[in-house]
Amino acid sequence: MTLALTVSDDVRALAPGFTHVVVEASGLVNAPSDAASSALLDDAARRLAGRLAGRAPHEDPHLAAWRATYTAFGSKPNRTRNSAEALARRALADGGLPRVNRLVDVYNAISVAHLVPVGGEDADRIQGAMRLVRATGQEPFHTVAGGEAVIEHPDAGEVVWCDDEGVTCRRWNWRQGVRTRLTEESVEAVFLLEGMAPHCDLAAAGAELAEQLEKFSPRARITVRAPVAACGQA
């Protein structure tokens, strides 16, 4: 499995420091959250608290860089936070991190521990290649509102990940669509770790993600594709 990912020139111009790591996995075994995945989330929250040392998540240099990028494409970072900041805030709150399923728990733990946005997509549900672009505003985005399936559209100029069928994640890494999300039936996945240089170490985060995926799915085939700057195809 090799999924092509591209970054548009418009996005490169907006955020020249953008970089990403792709982790591809085949033969995964997913399941409901369990004691092992829950422990991983708890450990990530402890690591986060140690890293921040009393600071708010948005005061971390990497998350501050993401906030600046969100502002640059017209998004309000206090209202629509990047996924790493949103998870970090939950990790530090009384309710703690959500338990979703083992695969989602694993990549959420890596996101929190390293303070980098991490997303996971069901590769079997991706149509064609994935592209990071500035939206026209016409692209469909499958989501849920009030318990009902709905199709929304991004704002014109919004940065989105999309495939041939529509948007897979809005506002760069703010909200994932339901069409390609990882479920307990998912066996093929692509994980995307995103950073703003020079404030992050995606190589370490990618290596740890691969290690944890192997622990939960020992027979899976996992490939880590090296960090890539915003210079076209990954």
Side-chain angles (χ1 to χ4, degrees), residues 41-60:
L41 290 168
D42 289 339
D43 180 64
R46 287 190 291 269
R47 292 167 63 183
L48 171 68
R51 172 174 176 155
L52 292 176
R55 294 176 298 155
H58 69 266
E59 295 177 289
D60 179 87

Side-chain angles (χ1 to χ4, degrees), residues 175-195:
R175 178 182 293 172
Q176 184 185 34
V178 298
R179 175 171 59 87
T180 59
R181 66 185 176 185
L182 293 173
T183 68
E184 291 174 20
E185 289 71 44
S186 298
V187 295
E188 308 283 323
V190 57
F191 301 90
L192 184 64
L193 299 85
E194 301 178 289

Side-chain angles (χ1 to χ4, degrees), residues 3-76:
L3 181 67
L5 290 89
T6 58
V7 179
S8 73
D9 290 342
D10 287 346
V11 174
R12 281 189 281 163
L14 177 74
F18 175 62
T19 179
H20 64 278
V21 165
V22 177
V23 178
E24 296 177 339
S26 300
L28 293 167
V29 178
N30 201 6
S33 301
D34 57 15
S37 69
S38 184
L40 196 63
L41 290 168
D42 289 339
D43 180 64
R46 287 190 291 269
R47 292 167 63 183
L48 171 68
R51 172 174 176 155
L52 292 176
R55 294 176 298 155
H58 69 266
E59 295 177 289
D60 179 87
H62 188 225
L63 296 190
W66 273 108
R67 280 186 160 230
T69 301
Y70 268 48
T71 299
F73 68 82
S75 185
K76 297 180 179 179

